[in-house]
Amino acid sequence: DTEVTQTPKHLVMGMTNKKSLKCEQHMGHRAMYWYKQKAKKPPELMFVYSYEKLSINESVPSRFSPECPNSSLLNLHLHALQPEDSALYLCASSQVDMGFSGNTIYFGEGSWLTVV
Amino acid sequence: KQEVTQIPAALSVPEGENLVLNCSFTDSAIYNLQWFRQDPGKGLTSLLLIQSSQREQTSGRLNASLDKSSGRSTLYIAASQPGDSATYLCAVRRGYGGATNKLIFGTGTLLAVQP
């Protein structure tokens, strides 16, 4: 099973709302990622968790708050977003590399977010 | 700063043709390179991964090559089919620890295979 599951698939929220995106994997992966993809652009990294600890934050605004409550789950909490934050949010997971460069990163289907 | 470019940006071919997608990167110190496929409005599907020590990988009708010294990778698709129509993205990984554990994506090639 090489599946990363993301919910919801679509989300429309107002600029004053608080919502969360969820991601789940059961492949035993201990690295999990959030990427943001705007239309017709490549994905851009937001956050990386390794062994449930935040290891990379690509200077993402604080209105995006990641959380990794356990080794299978990754959340992205959203608050006071702007219309320009509308995008496809992709979750991914992989083994934590220990020098073996053959570990594939697997992506979910994404959550489409529209901020109105 | 690593920059990844893909040429062409868009490609339209008739069914049955063999084709090559190109990916170039500016920093040859990569950990691995991964090719993905993305259907419209969908997530990314991993196609092939080439480790930094490898020259090529094959899966079915797909063959990916890597030339680190020249900063290039190619994805060869044999006997193309309409179902191959999608955006193809290459991504290089800088490393596996700390701040280097990230994929840098190319600009993508939009492929249309005409029946």
Side-chain angles (χ1 to χ4, degrees), chain A residues 14 29 34 66 93 97 100:
Chain A
H29 291 169
W34 280 115
S93 72
D97 286 308
F100 171 61

Side-chain angles (χ1 to χ4, degrees), chain B residues 55-67:
Chain B
R55 297 283 291 184
E56 66 178 289
Q57 281 287 334
T58 298
S59 175
R61 294 184 293 110
L62 305 179
N63 175 278
S65 68
L66 175 64
D67 184 343

Side-chain angles (χ1 to χ4, degrees), chain A residues 44-106:
Chain A
E44 295 181 340
L45 182 67
M46 300 175 71
F47 303 104
V48 180
Y49 273 82
S50 180
Y51 293 110
E52 296 84 69
K53 294 190 187 304
L54 185 65
S55 59
I56 296 179
N57 177 341
E58 291 287 90
S59 303
V60 178
S62 60
R63 56 186 184 268
F64 295 92
S65 175
E67 178 196 22
C68 190
N70 61 53
S71 60
S72 300
L73 294 174
L74 184 67
N75 298 320
L76 186 63
H77 302 299
L78 314 170
H79 174 54
L81 295 192
Q82 303 297 311
E84 58 265 31
D85 296 322
S86 299
L88 178 66
Y89 288 83
L90 294 162
C91 175
S93 72
S94 73
Q95 298 283 3
V96 175
D97 286 308
M98 300 299 287
F100 171 61
S101 60
N103 288 320
T104 299
I105 294 181
Y106 296 94

